[in-house]
Amino acid sequence: MHIVLCYAVQPRYLDQIQAAAPEAVIIDAGQEGIPEAIFEADVYCGHAKQRPVPWEEVVRQGRLKWIQSSAAGLDHCLAPSVIESDIQVTSASGLFANQVAEQTLALLLGVVRGLPVFFRQSTRREFTRRPTRDLHGSTVGIVGFGGNGRRIAEVLAPYRVRILATDVYPTRKPAHVAELWPADRLDDLLRESDILILGMPLNEETRGMIAARELALLKPGSIVINVARGPCVNEADLIAALDSGHLGGAGLDVTEVEPLPESSRLWELPNVLITPHVGAQGRTRDDDVTNLFCENLRRFQLGLPLWNYVDKQLGFPHPDRAWIFAEPKNQPSGLV
């Protein structure tokens, strides 16, 4: 078995992976080498960001059996040919939920308390009080209630907010969530939300999901927080809703095009807070990826079901296969 890696691999990770699969040949391809090395892979773990992977040719070759993504989002590997193939795909869904929840809270509180305006004032050495808003008492709608969405709800619950959520699998509703609805009740969620938090994957169903019609359903003055994927939102419609005053602000860790072009109007809007897609960054990220990969590698060799096994049409795992619902005693140390 040949294992090809494409993430920030440290020597100790190589030792850990080799211990999990003693007979395997391990190739640390890196971002530059992955388009060529992928053809040597029976198993691939990583997230190619810098150079495109020739997925059609890989599928046609018929060697690759399993992709373990080192990211929660799978738009980097779920090419049509992969979706139609027999290749197993597992994600890092839920693995970085703590970090994404912290990023969500930072963006949300920043917009609610007027930090974009105050930051601009501080660069001009102005000390001018302006109205701010309250998070407490708000209705928060979360679209996508997987690992990230659930952790975001847990973090927000102490702020005494009313939490609504929609998901393709509306099961296992926590007590601190008022309503967990199926995905087709998105309009109901939008109408009731003061704050809209996006946490869904990017797929054909969610691309452009939040556009002019959906934004118009939100209450006047609502806030949009996007920690999902930029293309889930029609950016021109978002800018129009902000310009018109219908939206009260936005916090964006992701944008339709990344890096966000210098010419984008989003940079100019006084009620928008932008971060450069850093929501999943964290001190233990690569440790956690390696731990999950090694646990799944053990299961792969034994023919057992893999954690975070993805429905390739949807782009995320069924709750029964999701890592966040694994029994703690079965989880490798270092994972939440």
Side-chain angles (χ1 to χ4, degrees):
M1 178 170 61
H2 282 54
I3 299 172
V4 173
L5 308 174
C6 180
Y7 68 104
V9 177
Q10 300 180 30
R12 60 192 175 91
Y13 300 155
L14 295 174
D15 293 340
Q16 185 178 350
I17 295 167
Q18 194 74 77
E23 304 301 320
V25 175
I26 301 173
I27 302 166
D28 179 11
Q31 293 292 333
E32 287 300 317
I34 192 60
E36 293 76 29
I38 191 70
F39 289 99
E40 302 179 55
D42 301 295
V43 172
Y44 163 56
C45 176
H47 179 186
K49 303 176 184 179
Q50 296 176 6
R51 297 180 62 194
V53 174
W55 288 116
E56 285 193 20
E57 290 85 349
V58 170
V59 171
R60 194 178 304 122
Q61 182 191 36
R63 176 170 181 170
L64 185 64
K65 298 296 186 291
W66 167 37
I67 297 169
Q68 169 68 65
S69 172
S70 60
L74 295 171
D75 41 298
H76 65 95
C77 66
L78 281 186
S81 56
V82 174
I83 292 173
E84 297 302 322
S85 75
D86 294 329
I87 297 171
Q88 295 191 82
V89 178
T90 53
S91 79
S93 177
L95 211 60
F96 319 120
N98 287 341
Q99 293 86 345
V100 173
E102 290 177 6
Q103 189 74 17
T104 302
L105 194 60
L107 290 168
L108 177 54
L109 288 175
V111 175
V112 166
R113 302 305 297 176
L115 292 192
V117 172
F118 296 136
F119 287 156
R120 287 175 169 85
Q121 285 187 184
S122 68
T123 63
R124 301 189 298 267
R125 302 186 181 185
E126 294 179 4
F127 194 84
T128 305
R129 288 191 175 126
R130 296 177 183 271
T132 62
R133 296 176 54 169
D134 299 328
L135 175 56
H136 285 76
S138 299
T139 295
V140 178
I142 301 174
V143 181
F145 208 57
N148 291 342
R150 287 175 180 274
R151 185 64 181 131
I152 289 167
E154 289 175 352
V155 169
L156 286 177
Y159 285 85
R160 300 175 185 172
V161 294
R162 176 174 174 246
I163 300 174
L164 311 175
T166 57
D167 196 75
V168 172
Y169 298 115
T171 61
R172 311 189 199 205
K173 184 184 80 66
H176 53 267
V177 173
E179 301 287 350
L180 174 54
W181 293 325
D184 61 9
R185 291 196 61 183
L186 173 64
D187 287 2
D188 294 328
L189 179 141
L190 294 172
R191 292 187 183 99
E192 296 195 34
S193 297
D194 302 297
I195 295 161
L196 177 66
I197 298 176
L198 305 178
M200 62 284 210
L202 177 62
N203 56 36
E204 290 308 308
E205 296 297 321
T206 63
R207 187 178 296 275
M209 173 189 280
I210 305 300
R213 175 190 170 279
E214 289 72 30
L215 294 170
L217 292 176
L218 288 167
K219 298 177 184 178
S222 295
I223 291 170
V224 173
I225 306 293
N226 191 0
V227 289
R229 286 291 187 268
C232 293
V233 177
N234 182 308
E235 207 158 274
D237 292 347
L238 176 66
I239 291 170
L242 289 162
D243 270 333
S244 72
H246 176 66
L247 290 184
L252 309 173
D253 186 52
V254 292
T255 53
E256 205 165 26
V257 176
E258 296 179 5
L260 182 63
E262 292 183 17
S263 60
S264 173
R265 285 269 293 118
L266 288 172
W267 292 117
E268 306 168 16
L269 296 173
N271 52 351
V272 175
L273 191 54
I274 299 168
T275 53
H277 203 154
V278 294
Q281 288 188 7
R283 178 176 52 84
T284 64
R285 176 184 174 118
D286 296 324
D287 291 347
D288 294 344
V289 167
T290 305
N291 288 339
L292 175 59
F293 178 51
C294 286
E295 170 62 12
N296 264 346
L297 184 57
R298 181 186 70 82
R299 300 175 72 86
F300 179 76
Q301 293 171 100
L302 293 173
L304 298 174
L306 305 180
W307 290 119
N308 282 354
Y309 180 83
V310 167
D311 180 320
K312 290 187 287 186
Q313 295 292 337
L314 296 175
F316 53 87
H318 187 282
D320 290 343
R321 302 287 287 273
W323 180 250
I324 57 169
F325 295 123
E327 290 294 329
K329 62 184 176 62
N330 293 334
Q331 297 183 358
S333 62
L335 290 180
V336 176

